[in-house]
Amino acid sequence: MTSQPLSRARIVAAAVELIEREGADAVSMRRIASELGVGVMSLYNHVPNKGALLDGVAESVLSEIEFTDDPEAHWSDRVRVQAHAFRQIAHHYPRCTMLVVSRQLHSNAGLLPVERALATLRSAGFDGVDAVRVLRMFIAFIVGSLLREVGVTPTFAPRHSSAIDAGEVDPELFPEVSALSELLVSCDHETEFAFGVDLLIQAIAVHPARREGTR
């Protein structure tokens, strides 16, 4: 039995650690109780059920996002800073981030990043419908980049070897893959993420649905 008092914060922290080690499927009230060295029923005094616990995990992760964008800055600069802030926390909690984007959160911690992003996109000149669409596009890009970075998606992801073995690729059938093999198996994740964010910003800047905003 641990000498530290049991609290919602400790329970959520234990769930975060377990998810990052073994994934969200490993989480159960009984398993968390075992991790903390307490009786399973004692958890229910702080967390009513597993769903509430997973919501707590998502909210805990989101609450650690540090927003440093200037509200008076140009919208494109704000989008860039916000995207990198989300990436930073996603990189720190990759498995929990998958949980974050799969849950509908209503707490202040859960809604603040959404509010910041939507306000920025509205100031860029998008109406409500398109602001939501652009936000979802950025989330998809960030999550996709994260999956590649942590090695979940192997296609075109860098491998431990420095290049594709020349014997693996027929240059007659796949001349471009063969010629660009060095690039396909190497990746500066930070640089490529910045490239992708800039590309998305350039695309939405010229989108016909966007009206010139105040900044």
Side-chain angles (χ1 to χ4, degrees):
M1 182 73 70
T2 180
S3 59
Q4 291 182 294
L6 192 62
S7 65
R8 183 179 185 276
R10 284 194 63 222
I11 295 169
V12 169
V16 169
E17 292 178 4
L18 178 60
I19 290 170
E20 290 305 320
R21 288 200 318 267
E22 301 181 25
D25 289 343
V27 175
S28 68
M29 299 297 273
R30 187 173 300 280
R31 178 66 187 277
I32 296 300
S34 176
E35 292 283 317
L36 292 171
V38 300
V40 65
M41 295 308 295
S42 64
L43 299 185
Y44 293 99
N45 294 323
H46 306 277
V47 182
N49 51 52
K50 179 180 175 179
L53 175 58
L54 295 179
D55 284 345
V57 167
E59 291 160 4
S60 175
V61 169
L62 285 173
S63 70
E64 291 192 32
I65 297 178
E66 296 183 4
F67 292 106
T68 59
D69 55 305
D70 179 1
E72 300 302 317
H74 190 271
W75 68 266
S76 61
D77 293 326
R78 296 193 66 198
V79 166
R80 190 174 290 106
V81 171
Q82 291 171 14
H84 280 274
F86 190 86
R87 177 188 182 273
Q88 184 176 32
I89 204 69
H91 186 267
H92 192 63
Y93 299 106
R95 287 182 166 177
C96 287
T97 297
M98 298 299 104
L99 182 67
V100 167
V101 299
S102 70
R103 304 193 73 77
Q104 186 70 42
L105 303 176
H106 302 286
S107 68
N108 289 347
L111 293 177
L112 178 59
V114 177
E115 175 67 22
R116 294 286 291 266
L118 289 176
T120 301
L121 294 170
R122 295 283 276 159
S123 75
F126 285 103
D127 64 17
V129 172
D130 286 311
V132 170
R133 286 173 175 167
V134 172
L135 173 60
R136 287 173 175 162
M137 178 188 67
F138 267 95
I139 291 174
F141 167 71
I142 293 170
V143 171
S145 297
L146 175 67
L147 290 174
R148 180 185 62 186
E149 187 167 351
V150 299
V152 178
T153 53
T155 304
F156 303 124
R159 305 187 313 181
H160 293 299
S161 59
S162 60
I164 295 176
D165 190 323
E168 294 180 1
V169 179
D170 185 340
E172 295 294 328
L173 290 175
F174 308 106
E176 296 299 335
V177 172
S178 179
L180 301 176
S181 61
E182 291 278 354
L183 296 176
L184 287 172
V185 296
S186 64
C187 182
D188 182 330
H189 294 294
E190 184 68 34
T191 299
E192 294 209 3
F193 182 81
F195 174 82
V197 170
D198 286 344
L199 201 63
L200 291 176
I201 289 173
Q202 291 169 25
I204 65 177
V206 298
H207 195 285
R210 190 181 79 84
R211 299 179 301 275
E212 285 298 327
T214 57
R215 289 185 292 275

